[in-house]
Amino acid sequence: MSAPLYNAEILRLAATIPHHERLPEPMATAEKRSPICGSRVTIDVAVDDEGKVSEVGLLVRACALGQASSSLLAANILGRTPAELAVARDALTAWLAREGDAPDWPGMDIFTPALDYTARHPSIRLAFEAASEAAAEAADTAAKAKV
């Protein structure tokens, strides 16, 4: 028998999203929306002089899976580079499509029961897609400001 899609850990993460307020002055913002269910995640970021995420703020209006994914992202994003976030995003996408191993990101194995529910995959990817985009934009802006 397979594990339930919405288990206690998913629901716990969904209810405890770190950094759950928007930043007052972000260096970049990205919003992603799932066309299937309407889940939406907005992520604000700031990066330090090395281009690593130094601040993050989230606005999450998503199903429990999107909220749980946002929680895992937010709990582990500080200090990450845009390249690391892109790798995590791409690994998550490949894993959900059964084209790779689980992403090297803490806690992602909780989504194993969702592998067979392809309609839920966009919600799980939202936070990682938005974070990758916002971090890349913020790092690019910071690099241009140095010149």
Side-chain angles (χ1 to χ4, degrees), residues 67-132:
Q67 291 175 33
S69 180
S70 296
S71 187
L72 288 176
L73 171 95
N76 298 284
I77 191 173
L78 296 179
R80 303 281 184 146
T81 65
E84 290 172 314
L85 293 171
V87 165
R89 175 203 60 211
D90 294 346
L92 177 59
T93 300
W95 179 60
L96 289 170
R98 295 186 183 264
E99 297 173 356
D101 295 327
D104 183 20
W105 194 274
M108 294 305 286
D109 58 329
I110 66 160
F111 295 113
T112 300
L115 290 173
D116 292 329
Y117 296 89
T118 57
R120 301 293 187 210
H121 295 179
S123 292
I124 296 168
R125 293 191 319 258
L126 290 176
F128 285 84
E129 291 171 351
S132 178

